[in-house]
Structure formats: structure tokens, C-alpha cells
């Protein structure tokens, strides 16, 4: 069976969030299970495209409104990611340094989707399934059914994976003329509340949709940024499949990005050494428990609570804790954190930006990771953390609820709190500090979570089972 994953992020080509990690791993695991899985992404002007060899396998052009766009399909020659990676090069539209935040986002992703179908058609590529990831490619399930000239794809099954339902790709109807010509009787499938809404379109038109945890699937019926009724009415074709983690990149026993490698049995000394090396680098005290936050500074992730949480925890513990924050995003949140640095020298350190290598070091060094998310479709950081023996302190929502069990439960290995508010987060951190302060407890929990199986094998099979069913 042949599946094409279509996405605008893929690690290590282009990563903004967890979407990239999933698209960069799932296809490799599917191939291990015998599927012919490909990935198609935009060709960005990024280190990955500069450092790898590509061969042009197809060329073409089409009209986007009155503008004629030329495209090239460039295949990564070495298949270095473990699957065929095809990138769509559209000069002036996709060959950019960043993935998001351009004013012509609608034009970008419409061009990407149109070029994709144009290429499949002209090269006579007929996959069994197109697995679209997030709203940027949400028009595909519509276009394969109702766009003029692409009728041959009507029988191709489309699966749409929701990594984040908060973002829907809204565009005003005056962008409609940029789409490939389509059966105008079907315009209602593009519409939600007077706008073209690619996420809504995908949910209406796909053969099945998946969410990246079962907890999140349930939540979408009541909290989906305006699409609750749609998710509810289409519930029969919804499936929750929890993400896995890529154990090639995320394995403390072999990770080349950390100071000292360790496994479950050597985790006590291993983590201690990593912590020492890390704390020395960032001027923190390695004798104190080390708490971290890694991720985007977004309200959705509860990052706006961080400055207050940090100040309160320092005050409640009389500065008997080290805190390291790695992330970027909302400038106000960043400024608020920056302002705290001077008040807690030797206790608080930060890195503002995206730094994959540093994230590995932090997972290896930290004792606890905090995730106070308001929305968390799956969450990968708690999974990476646990694999590295770092105890998760998380809000019990979406994928966090599905993957972290509180120590108060049988076989528990983490700390779960109910609401994304200061008091709940602080009391969970205090509960964790109290717990790991008790003799032997930290190591016991650490061993338990390091042994959990969050590998992709099982979830990759679940995707395949779904494709087969379709
Ligand atoms: C999005 C979600 C995150 C999920 C990731 C990968 O970034 O916010 O929870 O883990 O996608 O599916």
C-alpha cells in the first residue's frame, strides 16, 4: 500500500513544533511495517535543503488566480531520513527561511496543495492514501473530490490528522479565486461561518480523521475553537491514535548530543553527570532539584503562567530549586521571564530561541519538566522527558492526561494537576519536590517511566490498520 504524508513541517527539514517530529518519524516506522510511505513538503530555503542533495524529478506550472506559478519537484537523493522525501519548489512562494508568519499564508499553502495534485496527475502517481497533517493541507480532501481536472483522485482515500485544532487556516472568500477551479455547487464544503476554513473543509470531506491522542478526540467535541458541532457530527469517522517518539533521535543510551549516555540501570549516575555538566554551563547549582520548561511561549501551552509560577516557587522554597527555561514565541512572555533573571542569579537560567541540541541536554539533566498546557493534543515533550528519566509535572488534559499517570494512582510515575492556573501548577511542583526529596523515591519513579513503551511501532500499525479499513 502506498501512502503519501503531506505536511508543511518535517524534522529535520523544518521544525516549529511537534508536527515536524511526527511527520519525520511516522513514515519511517510505517516503512518498517511494509508500507510504501513518502513525505511531501515545501522546499524551504533552510540548512537542510542547502546541505542535502536533491534531484529534480518533475516540473510544471499552473495558474493561481491570474499568476502563473512554476514548480519543481525535488527528491532528496540519499533518502537520508529513511523514507522518500519530495519537496515542492515554487520560487517566490515556498522557498523561504521560515515556515509560518508570512502575510500571504493563504497563497503559500494553496500553491503547495495545487502543485502537489498537479504533479501527481502529470506523473501519473496514484497513492492509495493521502495522509494530510493540519489545516495547511486541509483543502486536499476537497480538491481530490471536487476540483476540475483532478477527478482521477476521487477514489484516493484521504486521512486528515489533527495535530492542533486551534489553528484552522481561515481565509476570506476573496481568496476563493486562487483555488484550482472546482464544482461551485460544493462551495458550502469550504465554508464555515462565512470564511473558507481549511480545517473544517478537511473534516467534512476526508474519509477519516485522526487526532494525536484519544483524550484530545473527546475534547474536540466540546472545545474546538468553533468547530465543536462539526467534530460531533463527523464523529463516526474520527479516531484517536497517540503519537510515539522516534527512538533513533531520542534515546539517552545513544544520544550524541548529551554529555554522558545512560540507560535505566545507569540512570542515577548518568543523570547526575549530565546535570553537573549542564548546571556548570548555565551557572546553576547542581545540588538543587532542577525544574525545566521546554517549548513555545504560547497561551495555549500555559507559558503566560511561567513568570508567576517561577516567582512563587522560588519564594515558597526559599530559592531551594534551579529552574531552566528553553523556548521562544510570545514576546511579552519572554520579556516577563527576562525581567526575572536578575532577581534569581544562579537559580534561574534561560535560552530564548529554538535549539534542538540544547533540548536533548536539558532532558538529560533535569529532574522535572513542567507542562501547564491549556490545550495539548498529544504533547511530545513529556514523552521525551520520561524516556530521559525526567519526571513530568503536567496539566491533565488531552495527550498529557493519556500519557502521564499521577503517583497517587497504582503504578503512577508523574504529577498531574487539574487546572491551568498558578495555584494548581505550584502545588503540583511542590508535591513533586516533596516526593523526590524522599529517599529512593525519585529513582524508583525514574526507572518506571524510563521503561514505558512510547515507541512508534504500535501507533504506526494503528494508522496502517485505519488505511486498510478505508
Ligand atoms: C501539535 C500539538 C502537540 C502534538 C504535536 C504533534 O504541536 O500542539 O500537542 O504533540 O502537534 O502531534
Amino acid at each position: 500500500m502506498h501512502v503519501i504524508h503531506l505536511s508543511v513541517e518535517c524534522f529535520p527539514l523544518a521544525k516549529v513544533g511537534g508536527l515536524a517530529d511526527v511527520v519525520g518519524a511516522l513514515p519511517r516506522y510505517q516503512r518498517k511495517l511494509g508500507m510504501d510511505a513518502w513525505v511531501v513538503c515545501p522546499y524551504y530555503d533552510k540548512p537542510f535543503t542547502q546541505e542535502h542533495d536533491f534531484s529534480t524529478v518533475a516540473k510544471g506550472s499552473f495558474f493561481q488566480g491570474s499568476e502563473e506559478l512554476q514548480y519543481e519537484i525535488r527528491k532528496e537523493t540519499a533518502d537520508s531520513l529513511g523514507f522518500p522525501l519530495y519537496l515542492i519548489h515554487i520560487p517566490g512562494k515556498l522557498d523561504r527561511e521560515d515556515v509560518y508568519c508570512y502575510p500571504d499564508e493563504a497563497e503559500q499553502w494553496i500553491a503547495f496543495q495545487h502543485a502537489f495534485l498537479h504533479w501527481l496527475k502529470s506523473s501519473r502517481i496514484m497513492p492509495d492514501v493521502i495522509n494530510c497533517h493540519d489545516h495547511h493541507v486541509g483543502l486536499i480532501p476537497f480538491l481530490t473530490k471536487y476540483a476540475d481536472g483532478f477527478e482521477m483522485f476521487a477514489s484516493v482515500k484521504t486521512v486528515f490528522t489533527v495535530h492542533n485544532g486551534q489553528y484552522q487556516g481561515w481565509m476570506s472568500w476573496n481568496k476563493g479565486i486562487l483555488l484550482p477551479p472546482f464544482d461551485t455547487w460544493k462551495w458550502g464544503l469550504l465554508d464555515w461561518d462565512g470564511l473558507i476554513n481549511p480545517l473544517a473543509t478537511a473534516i467534512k470531506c476526508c474519509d477519516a480523521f485522526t487526532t494525536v491522542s484519544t483524550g484530545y478526540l473527546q475534547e474536540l467535541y466540546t472545545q474546538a475553537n468553533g468547530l465543536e458541532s462539526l467534530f460531533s457530527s463527523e464523529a463516526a469517522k474520527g479516531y484517536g491514535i497517540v503519537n510515539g517518539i522516534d527512538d533513533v533521535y531520542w534515546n539517552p543510551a545513544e544520544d550524541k548530543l548529551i554529555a554522558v549516555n545512560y540507560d535505566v540501570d545507569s540512570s542515577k549516575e548518568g543523570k547526575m553527570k549530565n546535570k553537573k555538566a549542564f548546571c556548570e554551563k548555565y551557572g546553576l547549582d547542581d545540588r538543587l532539584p532542577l525544574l525545566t520548561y521546554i517549548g513555545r511561549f504560547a497561551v495555549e501551552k500555559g507559558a503566560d503562567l511561567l513568570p508567576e509560577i517561577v516567582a512563587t516557587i522560588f519564594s515558597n522554597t526559599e530559592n531551594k530549586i534551579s529552574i531552566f527555561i528553553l523556548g521562544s514565541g510570545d514576546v511579552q512572555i519572554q520579556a516577563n521571564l527576562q525581567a526575572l533573571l536578575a532577581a534569581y542569579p544562579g537559580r534561574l537560567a534561560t535560552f530564548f530561541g529554538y535549539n534542538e541540541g540544547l533540548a536533548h541536554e536539558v532532558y538529560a539533566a533535569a529532574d522535572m519538566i513542567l507542562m501547564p498546557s491549556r490545550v495539548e493534543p498529544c504533547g511530545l515533550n513529556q514523552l521525551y522527558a520520561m524516556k530521559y528519566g525526567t519526571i513530568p509535572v503536567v496539566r491533565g488534559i488531552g495527550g498529557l492526561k493519556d500519557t502521564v499517570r499521577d503517583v497517587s494512582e497504582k503504578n503512577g510515575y508523574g504529577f498531574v494537576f487539574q487546572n491551568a492556573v498558578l495555584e494548581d501548577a505550584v502545588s503540583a511542583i511542590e508535591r513533586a519536590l516533596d516526593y523526590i526529596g524522599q529517599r529512593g523515591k525519585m529513582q524508583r519513579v525514574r526507572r518506571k517511566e524510563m521503561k514505558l513503551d512510547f515507541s512508534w511501532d504500535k501507533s504506526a500499525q494503528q494508522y496502517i490498520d485505519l488505511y486498510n479499513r478505508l
Side-chain angles (χ1 to χ4, degrees), residues 10 23 38 99 105 112 118 136-137 277 310 314 377 408 429:
C10 174
V23 177
W38 300 3
V99 179
E105 193 166 343
F112 177 54
H118 198 274
H136 327 95
V137 289
V310 167
F314 278 132
S408 61
I429 297 168

Side-chain angles (χ1 to χ4, degrees), residues 17-19 22 163-164 212 243 296 300-301 375-380:
L19 166 63
V22 172
H163 295 263
N164 196 332
V212 289
N243 287 335
R296 276 190 297 126
E300 187 190 311
K301 301 288 178 198
V375 181
E376 198 61 84
C378 175
L380 293 168

Side-chain angles (χ1 to χ4, degrees), residues 9 16-23 133-134 161-167 211-213 216 241-243 296 300-301 371 373 375-383 399-400 456 463:
E9 288 187 45
V16 179
L19 166 63
D21 289 357
V22 172
V23 177
H133 296 267
D134 270 355
T161 301
V162 185
H163 295 263
N164 196 332
Q166 292 298 106
Y167 304 99
T211 59
V212 289
S213 69
Y216 187 54
I241 305 179
V242 73
N243 287 335
R296 276 190 297 126
E300 187 190 311
K301 301 288 178 198
M371 296 179 72
S373 304
V375 181
E376 198 61 84
C378 175
L380 293 168
N381 292 359
Q382 81 279 15
L383 305 182
L400 294 173
W456 262 114
Y463 276 93

Side-chain angles (χ1 to χ4, degrees), residues 287-435:
R287 292 164 305 181
L288 297 174
L290 175 60
L291 171 75
T292 188
Y293 171 93
I294 300 180
R296 276 190 297 126
F297 296 155
V299 172
E300 187 190 311
K301 301 288 178 198
D304 53 307
L305 301 170
L306 286 175
E308 257 193 302
I309 293 176
V310 167
T312 313
I313 279 291
F314 278 132
S315 136
N316 291 4
T317 62
E318 291 167 356
N319 293 351
K320 293 281 183 332
I321 185 169
S322 295
I323 300 183
F324 186 82
I325 293 174
L326 162 58
S328 60
D330 187 291
V331 284
Q332 191 54 51
I333 297 176
Q334 184 165 320
N336 294 347
L337 289 168
Q338 176 85 38
L340 286 178
L341 280 170
Y344 304 104
R347 289 289 182 269
L348 173 65
T350 55
F351 181 97
F352 296 137
Y354 163 77
N355 188 326
E356 190 79 16
L358 181 56
H360 285 246
E361 289 178 57
V362 180
Y363 288 120
D367 298 304
M368 297 162 287
I369 185 167
L370 173 68
M371 296 179 72
S373 304
R374 293 198 171 78
V375 181
E376 198 61 84
C378 175
L380 293 168
N381 292 359
Q382 81 279 15
L383 305 182
Y384 299 143
M386 289 193 274
K387 180 94 184 179
Y388 284 67
T390 299
I391 298 168
V393 182
V394 303
R395 161 136 195 252
I397 189 165
L400 294 173
K401 192 171 71 191
D402 290 3
T403 57
V404 180
R405 190 177 298 168
D406 194 90
V407 290
S408 61
E409 289 174 39
K410 194 165 177 259
N411 286 325
Y413 46 81
F415 295 85
V416 182
F417 55 95
Q418 285 318 310
N419 303 299
V421 295
L422 174 71
E423 298 71 30
D424 285 25
V426 166
S427 81
I429 297 168
E430 289 175 351
R431 200 154 59 85
L433 283 171
D434 179 54
Y435 193 89

